[in-house]
Amino acid sequence: MPGHYGIIRSGMPDSIPEKEPLPLRVLITGVSGFVGRHLASILAQETDWELWGWARRSWTGIPNRLQLARVDLRDPEAVRQGLALVRPEGIIHLAAQSDVAESWKDPWGTFETNVRGTLNLLESIRALGLQPRVLIVTSNEVYGLIRPEEVPVREDHPFRPANPYGISKAAQDWLAALYATAYAMPIIRARPFNHIGPGQDPRFVVPSFARQIAWIEAGLQDPVLWVGNLEARRDFTDVRDVARAYRLLLERGEPGEVYNIGSGRPRSIREVLELLLSMTQVNVRVEVDPQRIRPVEIPISAADTARIRERLGWEPRIPLEQSLRDVLEEWRARARAEQRRPGR
């Protein structure tokens, strides 16, 4: 519904006592997504910030201190109304269509969500005369086709996006830079590389492998594990470390600046699969599914993270092996629940 701003649930009091200083009021867009849920949980546990979240849907386990509203960022009036109500002092903009494969199937839907949503947010901030610190989260996919000799990639590396998602995130990145310069808005940009962890959609590579292994262990799937390109090399970081980086950037990032977030170490998809298979006793046959091969594949990607390490002291803490085990255990629990489901 155009202009609709709907409260889903509130964990905040109806009023705040007079003369009590307000904590930083922070809005997370896309809060019900993979990263948003982890970020909201961390901020609820570790800060006294007043937390607001925008999402298209609710989810289980919403932090008690989070006030959640249903807002479609593609609707400019809904965005304006929402900002007028919240009047945030900080914004972490996560809302996006983030699946590369989906962007090939629906490029316009990806552009509308990622580019129009960001433009509506920035225009509404400007129209209302607000001055929140804004963290715009784009993607390593803006760098696109990277040659091996160019790894690790610095923030000044040229954009060569290789899929509709990457192009949409490049446009989002440029919009953020433009509004920071043209309107003196305190905008910080983050370019995270591949991040993994519990709660990620099985359309992505690590939960796809983990789900298949767990289903095979439980007898819910034949012992065939379907894969795409195993030779591509990616820079994997745990989502909980990425969420910590977002908090630091909102607090202490330099307005107008951009920061890579990653481990700095490229790992082949084959290595990730082998690590997961080392955590199970089942024997599987690995088969390539042509539907999982992308029209354009980026062979290697890894971040130069000197800027965020040296200026903010951020380092990833969670090793890849722990991230993979946590994802596999999550899918094992889901497999057990599936076995108990009536009718099986």
Side-chain angles (χ1 to χ4, degrees):
M1 179 185 302
H4 175 69
Y5 181 92
I7 296 293
I8 297 174
R9 55 100 67 201
S10 171
M12 297 298 298
D14 294 333
S15 62
I16 298 171
E18 292 184 4
K19 299 183 180 179
E20 181 177 330
L22 282 172
L24 185 66
R25 186 182 301 115
V26 172
L27 169 65
I28 305 169
T29 72
V31 72
S32 65
F34 169 51
V35 184
R37 296 193 304 273
H38 284 282
L39 178 62
S41 177
I42 287 172
L43 296 184
Q45 293 172 21
E46 298 181 0
T47 75
D48 60 356
W49 296 351
E50 182 183 325
L51 299 176
W52 292 71
W54 287 356
R56 294 188 192 176
R57 63 185 184 277
S58 186
W59 81 95
T60 58
I62 300 173
N64 288 333
R65 290 180 44 233
L66 177 73
Q67 181 154 289
L68 181 65
R70 184 176 289 115
V71 176
D72 186 340
L73 271 81
R74 297 170 299 181
D75 179 349
E77 183 58 22
V79 174
R80 191 197 64 77
Q81 288 181 18
L83 285 176
L85 173 66
V86 178
R87 305 191 72 83
E89 297 166 280
I91 299 174
I92 300 177
H93 180 42
L94 300 176
Q97 193 299 102
S98 57
D99 183 3
V100 171
E102 179 62 26
S103 78
W104 286 106
K105 299 173 186 175
D106 184 14
W108 172 242
T110 299
F111 271 73
E112 187 176 29
T113 296
N114 296 353
V115 181
R116 187 179 184 188
T118 300
L119 186 59
N120 285 341
L121 181 68
L122 296 175
E123 273 294 292
S124 294
I125 291 170
R126 188 172 72 89
L128 291 167
L130 304 177
Q131 276 291 307
R133 286 175 62 84
V134 183
L135 177 64
I136 301 288
V137 176
T138 69
S139 170
N140 69 293
E141 290 284 347
V142 301
Y143 300 122
L145 293 170
I146 300 166
R147 293 184 284 271
E149 65 271 20
E150 296 173 325
V151 172
V153 176
R154 296 186 353 165
E155 289 87 351
D156 58 2
H157 190 84
F159 286 6
R160 295 196 291 261
N163 52 65
Y165 168 73
I167 295 171
S168 76
K169 297 303 271 188
Q172 184 186 55
D173 200 296
W174 280 322
L175 278 172
L178 174 65
Y179 274 68
T181 301
Y183 302 116
M185 294 170 66
I187 297 172
I188 304 109
R189 287 167 288 155
R191 294 180 190 151
F193 284 60
N194 297 67
H195 35 294
I196 59 174
Q200 191 171 29
D201 192 288
R203 292 177 299 174
F204 294 86
V205 63
V206 169
S208 171
F209 290 168
R211 181 188 186 278
Q212 292 184 75
I213 291 169
W215 254 239
I216 292 168
E217 289 176 335
L220 300 170
Q221 176 179 321
D222 291 337
V224 179
L225 198 151
W226 296 98
V227 303
N229 178 12
L230 294 179
E231 306 313 316
R233 300 169 69 194
R234 297 289 180 264
D235 183 338
F236 292 101
T237 307
D238 193 283
V239 63
R240 293 158 288 195
D241 282 329
V242 173
R244 284 195 304 106
Y246 292 166
R247 175 189 171 179
L248 281 172
L249 288 172
L250 186 67
E251 289 180 312
R252 298 194 279 120
E254 181 67 27
E257 193 58 276
V258 58
Y259 300 83
N260 284 337
I261 302 172
S263 72
R265 179 179 177 183
R267 307 267 200 146
S268 72
I269 305 302
R270 184 180 301 279
E271 180 183 356
V272 169
L273 176 59
E274 289 172 350
L275 284 170
L276 280 166
L277 290 175
S278 74
M279 299 174 187
T280 182
Q281 299 299 313
V282 298
N283 294 316
V284 304
R285 186 173 80 253
V286 176
E287 295 283 353
V288 174
D289 178 0
Q291 297 298 317
R292 298 171 189 254
I293 303 297
R294 295 176 180 175
V296 180
E297 185 68 84
I298 298 169
I300 186 170
S301 181
D304 182 322
T305 59
R307 181 171 293 169
I308 192 170
R309 286 188 288 106
E310 293 170 4
R311 298 185 187 180
L312 300 182
W314 177 86
E315 293 276 1
R317 299 173 181 170
I318 301 173
L320 177 63
E321 291 77 7
Q322 180 182 335
S323 302
L324 296 178
R325 188 171 296 281
D326 289 348
V327 175
L328 183 55
E329 289 302 323
E330 175 193 17
W331 283 102
R332 283 170 170 159
R334 293 191 184 195
R336 290 191 293 270
E338 179 68 15
Q339 285 178 313
R340 295 191 297 269
R341 186 168 61 84
R344 288 207 60 89

